[in-house]
Amino acid sequence: MKKIGIILLAGALFLGGCGDPAAPVMATQEPAAAAQTIPEPEEPEAEPAVARRIPPRFQVRCNQEDITAVLCDDDYTTGRVIYPGSVLTIESSQPFGSLYLQWDTLPGEYEICWENQRKQCGEEGFQHEFLRLNQAVTEVAFVFGEGVSPGLSELSLYTAGDPPGGVQEWLPPCEQADMLVFPTHADDDVLYFGPLMCYYARELDWEIQTAFLTEHQWEPERSHERLDGLWELGLRHYPVVWEAPDLYSESLAKARQQYDAYDVVGWQVEQIRRFRPRMVVGHDLEGEYGHGAHRLNAVSLIKAVPLAGDAGAYLDSARRYGVWQTPETYLHLYEGEKLPLNVNKPLTEDPRTPFEVAQDAYLLHRSQQKWRFAVTQEDPRETCTIFGRYQWPEPSSA
């Protein structure tokens, strides 16, 4: 009996796996379930926080004078010039992590200082500027360059985070554009090219660059309206604006007296070489409602596109950017092959259509609402839906 008990005990120990640890495991043995670990589900990536606007219970001082009211009235036509040597400070009882500044006159490069830190600003030259700080603060001071007199029209404070809708955080002009558009004035971009740019920017995710022929030095609010309208359309690359003044002309001949046509072409060539677009879009050759500057912009553009690919033309920009031959050029209302465009279908991420977005964008050009212009599909000379591909005449065989 003792011998039988020993045999049974040995068998039990063998079957229980308590033998030599180095002994091979039987082929029928499965891995222990307890050794397996179930991976924990990954937490979804948190959405970036959206900055909240801080009520204007803070104080903005220029040389100890309280100028908060004039900078927080949502009115571009009011503001304050900051003369050389002035000290501009902001004090808030509620900590803020970002600022939104809308300049009338650009300050150049400047610094914002708080506690023992300094932030370099203004390098891009943006008129509407969203500045993120790396911490929440209650007081900052501005340090401008010597002899600089910037003009500030609007200022608001926000908590840390991404800017909310309507607050503009611009990207620099494109490195390379999918589409380069040449409006003449601030509001032409919305009236004639607005639904087109909205559709391509917001629905097709194209990189769109605008290059405006004229500035509005006598109507400073229009430069603000230009930025507001472009932002509403969905553009995010800061526009380029030439220094030509806004002068009304009733004919192409008059426009040629007001502007140097050679310089206009040269400026357009430079923009094409700089942005290397796959598509250029310009005004109607008849100037929509007959505006001479619109006509000059268009007839100059059809000269500039081929010249941009000529290394012997406008040598300065050729040396700086190289040459570029744009594959496609479309003009407003032109009778060529039509650019496919559906401006009456709601956008994927917006219940509005591109046409409706452009209508809303034009309302942001508040100074222009006194005129009869409108984003339209009905007026055959101003409809925003027709763009034809320009075909250059075949060279003469003579």
Side-chain angles (χ1 to χ4, degrees):
M1 292 295 292
K2 184 182 291 186
K3 185 181 293 185
I4 293 172
I6 293 172
I7 293 172
L8 290 174
L9 178 61
L13 292 171
F14 177 76
L15 292 173
C18 297
D20 182 0
V25 179
M26 294 176 63
T28 57
Q29 185 175 349
E30 295 182 0
Q36 297 179 351
T37 57
I38 301 175
E40 295 183 3
E42 294 184 5
E43 293 185 6
E45 188 174 337
E47 291 289 331
V50 176
R52 292 176 288 103
R53 185 170 183 174
I54 293 175
R57 292 192 288 269
F58 51 85
Q59 284 190 328
V60 186
R61 295 183 178 276
C62 184
N63 291 347
Q64 302 306 312
E65 176 191 356
D66 190 340
I67 58 173
T68 311
V70 76
L71 296 182
C72 300
D73 58 359
D74 294 320
D75 185 355
Y76 291 143
T77 63
T78 64
R80 177 60 185 262
V81 175
I82 304 164
Y83 294 104
S86 299
V87 177
L88 183 70
T89 59
I90 302 172
E91 298 178 7
S92 174
S93 58
Q94 180 177 344
F96 56 94
S98 53
L99 305 88
Y100 187 42
L101 306 167
Q102 292 151 297
W103 303 97
D104 272 331
T105 306
L106 293 177
E109 294 190 17
Y110 63 98
E111 289 184 326
I112 294 180
C113 307
W114 68 93
E115 297 176 358
N116 295 321
Q117 299 198 47
R118 307 170 80 89
K119 179 179 177 65
Q120 191 73 27
C121 306
E123 300 97 329
E124 299 290 351
F126 294 161
Q127 189 171 7
H128 292 182
E129 194 172 24
F130 184 74
L131 301 178
R132 301 173 187 246
L133 307 179
N134 60 10
Q135 66 183 96
V137 301
T138 57
E139 182 176 351
V140 297
F142 290 71
V143 178
F144 300 103
E146 293 185 8
V148 176
S149 299
L152 185 59
S153 63
E154 289 293 309
L155 181 150
S156 49
L157 303 183
Y158 289 82
T159 59
D162 290 341
V167 175
Q168 301 159 23
E169 188 175 28
W170 288 97
L171 298 172
C174 292
E175 288 292 329
Q176 181 166 11
D178 294 311
M179 179 187 294
L180 176 58
V181 183
F182 283 93
T184 302
H185 310 98
D187 76 348
D188 291 336
D189 52 317
V190 176
L191 288 170
Y192 308 120
F193 311 107
L196 166 74
M197 293 195 294
C198 176
Y199 175 76
Y200 275 83
R202 297 180 62 172
E203 202 68 11
L204 301 184
D205 201 29
W206 277 34
E207 300 285 325
I208 299 180
Q209 181 65 48
T210 50
F212 289 80
L213 182 67
T214 63
E215 62 178 357
H216 300 281
Q217 66 271 43
W218 299 301
E219 299 174 282
E221 69 276 12
R222 295 192 68 181
S223 60
H224 295 288
E225 294 168 352
R226 171 172 27 225
L227 294 176
D228 289 346
L230 290 173
W231 190 265
E232 180 70 17
L233 292 176
L235 274 66
R236 296 296 179 259
H237 289 283
Y238 201 77
V240 171
V241 183
W242 201 33
E243 72 272 8
D246 175 15
L247 304 172
Y248 183 74
S249 53
E250 296 180 350
S251 67
L252 177 59
K254 180 65 175 178
R256 282 174 168 155
Q257 295 174 0
Q258 295 169 320
Y259 304 99
D260 187 311
Y262 179 83
D263 288 345
V264 172
V265 173
W267 176 77
Q268 292 173 328
V269 165
E270 181 179 2
Q271 306 318 305
I272 294 168
R273 288 170 170 172
R274 174 183 177 182
F275 296 116
R276 297 171 292 153
R278 57 167 151 162
M279 181 186 296
V280 161
V281 182
H283 274 285
D284 170 35
L285 289 170
E286 298 301 321
E288 281 80 30
Y289 56 95
H291 198 304
H294 291 198
R295 295 188 66 186
L296 179 63
N297 199 346
V299 299
S300 298
L301 187 60
I302 61 176
K303 297 177 182 177
V305 171
L307 286 174
D310 181 354
Y314 294 98
L315 299 181
D316 287 346
S317 64
R319 282 190 289 265
R320 183 174 183 182
Y321 299 111
V323 298
W324 181 259
Q325 193 61 66
T326 304
E328 297 179 281
T329 299
Y330 286 85
L331 299 180
H332 187 215
L333 304 178
Y334 190 69
E335 290 298 329
E337 173 191 351
K338 296 300 182 285
L339 183 65
L341 182 64
N342 185 353
V343 301
N344 297 310
K345 179 181 177 182
L347 295 161
T348 301
E349 298 181 357
D350 193 319
R352 297 174 297 172
T353 68
F355 179 74
E356 291 168 338
V357 172
Q359 288 181 312
D360 290 342
Y362 185 61
L363 294 177
L364 298 175
H365 289 262
R366 289 177 287 184
S367 69
Q368 302 305 294
Q369 301 306 306
K370 59 190 175 183
W371 308 112
R372 57 97 183 161
F373 298 108
V375 180
T376 181
Q377 300 182 60
E378 298 175 358
D379 188 330
R381 292 308 309 167
E382 297 182 38
T383 177
C384 59
T385 60
I386 298 175
F387 295 87
R389 185 171 182 176
Y390 186 80
Q391 298 293 335
W392 276 261
E394 292 294 332
S396 173
S397 57

